[in-house]
């Protein structure tokens, strides 16, 4: 039987699932398509990691591993909603909630000493950061704005701030002694198992990673960032922001780059508050208060210290004496340095660029800002867009072109660093990557505190990436640009492989080029201003950056992108967009029973999933569902049925009703399958005739607090009651049969 696996994830997308999944199940059943769910939420991942320590009634299956195995099969059809890429503070909050619900989980150990603590830490660490994506993404990424979404954005342009040529906003990056400048790379000759080791100045060897399996043709990279150079750079930028009178902001990716970037964030906090840590650092460390967790964690912990008020006053003085900090929530005093997962570069930088190059200051006003992105690998991309906006003004959503993306990510290609091979060096010495014969393949001299990391990219992933780029370039008659920098060791190896694999493909009539990221950015934004489209063909991290940068400028959000992962073995993974705004939406739902989450990404992914099923299993009714859902989504956009901005308008639940109505009407109108049309004609008639009653039932619940039974792990009955408040809508859905 044809089957869709719909993932149960986190925050607003998870709450929306309680409302939308019944629609999917009812409509899919008419085509003989079974819909199943799998829990890959943060709480689910935590509970599965400790399943052997919990009583049977509390145990949770390892759904992520199950889906990882399924993704290797040709019958895979998985719809993946956004999930929390947990930072340490988020993980701790999830653990606390689960403990309060009666799950006997150990506390997260910051400094594990006993075997039990080390075991708990290892289990928890498997759930942090990008724990889900590398498991499921057994293919490369095809992300683009569907024609209906792009058309709507042009007819209903989102707001864009005005740019001034004398804007002081800029990007600051190291350019030396960082990950980019120290990168080395090797192409593996034959299957092997590598070892990563540290050789101290006195010759003592410590194995950092004992077994690193690699395949023939695989690209393996290593690099490090100098802690000394980082601190000096940060001190310079803090002084520069103060002198220039601009907001100081740091932009990292502490969720996905779950080892390196929290360390970088900690350096920023420690350098900004250098005097405080010089005087009180030992007391803070003894209390387990780490700069890597941010000011919010530190300030909370100070309440338990005898001299906490004195230390807090020192922090407040440092804030007053330093440059003004960019704010996450100025009304609540939440700065850019409060929580490492609050300001994620791929979302925060496009938002800044869209808003005149401004961020919010402590006075609740907009101001120019110094955007500090320590590693120079991709910082120039954002500076190039800022330079273009200073020279030419803001982009025009009514005329601008689009920049779809083909991203290299199959089999954990370039996986954000990679965090399982990232180490904070404890003593001076040398880090080496050694093959099974003892030959040193890669080597770096390092100092205590430096951040060293390695990553790997399999040859089969690169070949498939090149093939997908050519396929998309031909299908859309669009130039495809590989964003690769020949000055970087890793990119040089990729360029050689790209050129080899392109020679094996039919590229006649196609414009396919290789450009360094900054050059590619300038090329693409120039074309955007002429209303022209350009495919960006990028590695994994740039894929993440570009699939927020350009959609936020083009569409106002990255959640409206069609995100398809054609799995290498023939299956399909359909992703539903970004979840960066999800936490705020949950807070609003709990406060006033109003969910602003926009499920458009789910609609787009679902249509692509049905189409894949139709082609894979020869199911014509699945194709009808796909085609009619596409048309219904177009109507949904034209009729502006996305969640409104204030109480009294339809929210996420109302948008699901209208999508169901338009979809049923499209199915009733199709003439190829009379039985299907008749079944949906009845449903469409009931939905249309009860439109007022249903919308009134959905709006009537707004304005009062909503209890869903938990943030990270809601109670199913409570959440379903909140998210399905219209008895009329529920009754009509329940009547659908074929």
């Amino acid at each position: 039987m044809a089957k869709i696996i719909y993932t149960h994830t986190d925050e607003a997308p998870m709450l929306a699932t309680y409302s939308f999944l019944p629609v999917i199940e009812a409509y899919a059943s008419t085509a003989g398509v079974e819909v199943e769910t799998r829990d890959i939420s943060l709480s689910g991942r935590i509970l599965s990691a400790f399943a052997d320590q919990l009583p049977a009634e509390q145990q949770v299956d390892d759904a992520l591993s199950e889906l990882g195995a399924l993704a290797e099969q040709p019958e895979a059809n998985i719809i993946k909603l956004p999930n929390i890429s947990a930072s340490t503070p988020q993980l701790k909050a999830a653990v606390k909630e689960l403990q309060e619900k009666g799950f006997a989980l150990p506390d997260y150990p910051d400094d594990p000493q006993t075997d039990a603590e080390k075991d708990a830490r290892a289990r928890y660490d498997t759930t942090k950061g990008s724990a889900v994506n590398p498991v499921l993404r057994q293919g490369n990424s095809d992300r683009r704005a569907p024609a209906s979404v792009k058309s709507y954005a042009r007819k209903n342009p989102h707001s864009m701030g005005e740019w001034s040529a004398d804007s002081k906003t800029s990007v600051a990056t190291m350019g030396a002694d960082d990950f980019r400048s120290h990168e080395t790379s090797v192409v593996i000759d034959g299957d092997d198992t590598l070892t990563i080791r540290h050789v101290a100045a006195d010759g003592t060897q410590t194995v950092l990673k004992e077994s690193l399996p690699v395949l023939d043709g695989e690209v393996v990279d290593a690099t490090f960032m100098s802690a000394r150079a980082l601190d000096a750079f940060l001190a310079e930028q803090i002084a520069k922001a103060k002198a220039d009178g601009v907001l100081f902001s740091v932009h990292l990716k502490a969720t996905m780059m779950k080892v390196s970037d929290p360390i970088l964030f900690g350096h920023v906090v420690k350098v900004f508050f250098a005097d405080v840590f010089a005087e009180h650092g030992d007391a803070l460390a003894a209390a387990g208060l780490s700069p890597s967790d941010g000011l919010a964690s530190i300030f909370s912990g100070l309440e338990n210290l005898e001299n906490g008020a004195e230390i807090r006053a020192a922090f407040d003085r440092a804030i007053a004496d330093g440059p003004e900090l960019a704010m996450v929530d100025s009304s609540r005093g939440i700065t850019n340095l409060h929580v490492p997962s609050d300001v994620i570069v791929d979302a925060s930088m496009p938002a800044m660029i869209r808003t005149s190059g401004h961020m919010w200051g402590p006075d609740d006003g907009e101001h120019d800002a110094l955007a500090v992105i320590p590693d120079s690998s991709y910082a120039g991309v954002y500076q190039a867009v800022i330079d273009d906006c200073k020279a030419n003004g803001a982009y025009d959503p009514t005329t601008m072109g689009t920049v779809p993306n083909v991203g290299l990510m199959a089999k954990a290609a370039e996986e954000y660093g990679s965090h399982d091979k990232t180490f904070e060096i404890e003593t001076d010495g040398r880090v080496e990557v050694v093959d099974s014969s003892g030959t040193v393949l890669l080597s770096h001299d390092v100092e205590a505190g430096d951040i060293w990391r390695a990553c790997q990219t399999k040859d089969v992933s690169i070949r498939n990436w090149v093939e997908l780029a050519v396929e998309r370039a031909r299908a859309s008659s669009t130039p495809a640009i590989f964003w690769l920098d020949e000055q970087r060791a890793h990119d040089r190896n990729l360029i050689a492989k790209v050129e080899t694999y392109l020679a094996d493909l039919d590229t006649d009539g196609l414009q396919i080029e290789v450009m360094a990221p900054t050059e590619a950015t300038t090329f693409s934004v120039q074309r955007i201003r002429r209303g022209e489209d350009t495919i960006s063909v990028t590695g994994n991290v740039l894929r993440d950056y570009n699939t927020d940068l350009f959609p936020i400028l083009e569409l106002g959000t990255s959640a409206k992108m069609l995100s398809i992962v054609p799995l290498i073995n023939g299956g399909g993974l359909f992703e539903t967009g970004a979840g960066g705004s999800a936490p705020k939406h949950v807070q609003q739902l709990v406060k006033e029973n109003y969910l602003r989450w926009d499920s458009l990404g789910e609609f787009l992914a679902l249509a692509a999933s049905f189409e894949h099923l139709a082609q894979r299993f020869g199911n014509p009714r699945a194709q009808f569902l796909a085609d009619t859902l596409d048309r219904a989504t177009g109507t949904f956009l034209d009729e502006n049925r996305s969640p409104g901005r204030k109480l009294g308008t339809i929210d996420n639940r109302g948008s699901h009703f209208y999508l169901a109505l338009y979809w049923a009407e499209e199915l009733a109108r199709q003439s190829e399958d009379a039985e299907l049309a008749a079944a949906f004609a009845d449903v469409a008639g009931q939905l249309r005739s009860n439109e007022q009653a249903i919308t009134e039932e959905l709006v009537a619940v707004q304005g009062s607090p909503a209890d869903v039974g938990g943030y990270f792990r809601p109670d199913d009955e409570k959440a379903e009651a909140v998210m399905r408040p219209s008895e009329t809508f529920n009754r009509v859905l329940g009547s659908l049969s074929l």
Side-chain angles (χ1 to χ4, degrees), residues 453-729:
R453 70 187 190 192
C455 73
Q456 53 194 128
T457 307
K458 290 181 169 46
D459 183 66
V460 65
S461 304
I462 300 168
R463 182 188 289 272
N464 178 266
W465 176 56
V466 175
E467 292 171 349
L468 182 59
V470 172
E471 177 186 320
R472 290 304 310 151
R474 188 168 298 285
S476 59
S477 300
T478 305
I481 308 300
F482 284 85
W483 292 40
L484 297 170
D485 183 357
E486 63 180 8
Q487 300 302 312
R488 282 186 58 184
H490 168 80
D491 283 13
R492 281 197 299 273
N493 282 330
L494 257 63
I495 290 170
K497 286 180 174 287
V498 167
E499 291 174 345
T500 297
Y501 297 143
L502 283 176
D504 296 335
L505 301 171
D506 177 12
T507 59
D508 287 350
L510 302 180
Q511 181 181 350
I512 299 178
E513 299 182 43
V514 175
M515 297 182 186
T518 301
E519 178 189 2
T521 305
T522 301
F523 178 81
S524 300
V525 296
Q526 288 173 346
R527 289 177 56 84
I528 275 178
R529 290 191 181 276
R530 298 195 296 266
E532 298 171 342
D533 305 337
T534 316
I535 299 171
S536 66
V537 190
T538 70
N540 200 348
V541 176
L542 256 181
R543 172 199 59 80
D544 232 6
Y545 292 2
N546 282 7
T547 55
D548 274 310
L549 172 60
F550 292 106
I552 286 173
L553 298 178
E554 296 173 28
L555 312 174
T557 175
S558 58
K560 296 181 179 180
M561 294 287 281
L562 178 61
S563 181
I564 299 174
V565 182
L567 300 174
I568 289 178
N569 291 333
L573 175 67
F574 307 93
E575 299 183 315
T576 67
S581 59
K584 293 181 180 178
H585 293 326
V586 179
Q587 293 162 11
Q588 184 178 14
L589 176 79
V590 171
K591 181 180 179 181
E592 51 192 18
N593 204 345
Y594 189 86
L595 187 65
R596 270 194 64 193
W597 175 257
D598 190 342
S599 288
L600 179 61
E602 287 97 289
F603 306 162
L604 301 173
L606 182 61
S609 173
F610 277 127
E611 183 171 37
H612 180 78
L613 279 181
Q615 295 169 354
R616 169 65 62 182
F617 294 99
N619 185 331
R621 280 188 170 171
Q623 189 64 56
F624 292 149
L625 290 176
D627 294 341
T628 52
L629 178 53
D630 271 338
R631 294 196 292 271
T633 301
T635 304
F636 174 91
L637 290 170
D638 288 340
E639 295 294 326
N640 195 23
R641 298 302 187 182
S642 293
R645 291 184 172 273
K646 58 183 180 180
L647 295 182
T649 60
I650 63 165
D651 70 349
N652 176 264
R653 297 163 288 193
S655 69
H656 293 160
F657 158 66
Y658 277 107
L659 190 280
L661 169 61
Y662 300 145
W663 194 5
E665 289 179 336
E666 289 291 346
L667 281 159
R669 279 195 287 267
Q670 61 81 26
S671 59
E672 294 90 341
D673 188 323
E675 185 183 23
L676 196 66
F680 279 100
D682 179 57
V683 171
Q686 291 188 65
L687 293 176
R688 180 61 74 179
S689 63
N690 286 288
E691 177 183 1
Q692 183 174 347
I694 292 171
T695 55
E696 287 177 353
E697 288 172 352
L698 293 172
V699 171
V701 299
Q702 297 176 14
S704 301
D707 179 13
V708 295
Y711 183 92
F712 293 98
R713 196 162 190 82
D715 177 273
D716 286 341
E717 289 187 9
K718 289 182 177 181
E720 183 168 344
V722 168
M723 293 305 299
R724 301 192 69 196
S726 171
E727 291 297 329
T728 307
F729 185 28

Side-chain angles (χ1 to χ4, degrees), residues 323-439:
E324 290 193 330
L325 283 169
M327 306 297 288
V328 171
D329 187 338
S330 53
S331 65
R332 296 166 53 217
I334 307 300
T335 74
N336 186 241
L337 301 183
H338 264 64
V339 182
S341 56
D342 266 356
V343 184
I344 305 302
V345 59
D346 42 332
S348 59
M349 286 302 299
M352 169 201 277
I353 293 168
R354 181 184 162 189
T355 315
S356 312
H358 292 162
M359 296 190 75
W360 293 99
D363 62 352
D364 204 27
E366 293 182 23
H367 302 279
D368 291 341
L370 180 66
V372 176
I373 305 175
D375 182 44
S376 60
S377 295
Y378 305 121
V381 168
Y382 297 112
Q383 185 63 58
V385 180
I386 289 170
D387 289 343
D388 180 73
C389 288
K390 287 181 181 181
N392 302 296
Y395 302 104
D396 183 354
T398 67
T399 60
M400 66 189 295
T402 186
V403 183
N405 179 264
V406 173
L408 174 61
M409 66 180 193
K411 299 185 179 298
E414 299 183 358
E415 184 59 26
Y416 302 106
S418 292
H419 28 258
D420 64 328
K421 296 176 283 291
T422 299
F423 307 95
E424 188 170 22
I425 304 303
E426 295 184 3
T427 60
D428 293 359
R430 187 172 65 257
V431 179
E432 299 173 339
V433 179
V434 186
D435 69 13
S436 58
S437 71
T439 301

Side-chain angles (χ1 to χ4, degrees), residues 86-133:
S87 62
T88 299
Q90 287 174 308
L91 177 60
K92 290 179 178 178
V95 172
K96 181 180 179 182
E97 179 179 307
L98 289 169
Q99 290 171 335
E100 291 171 350
K101 286 178 173 288
F103 294 93
L105 296 169
D107 290 337
Y108 177 88
D110 288 299
D111 184 22
Q113 299 297 321
T114 67
D115 288 344
E117 289 175 339
K118 291 176 181 177
D119 175 66
R121 174 64 178 264
R123 294 181 189 230
Y124 280 130
D125 283 352
T126 65
T127 70
K128 290 198 299 186
S130 55
V132 172
N133 293 339

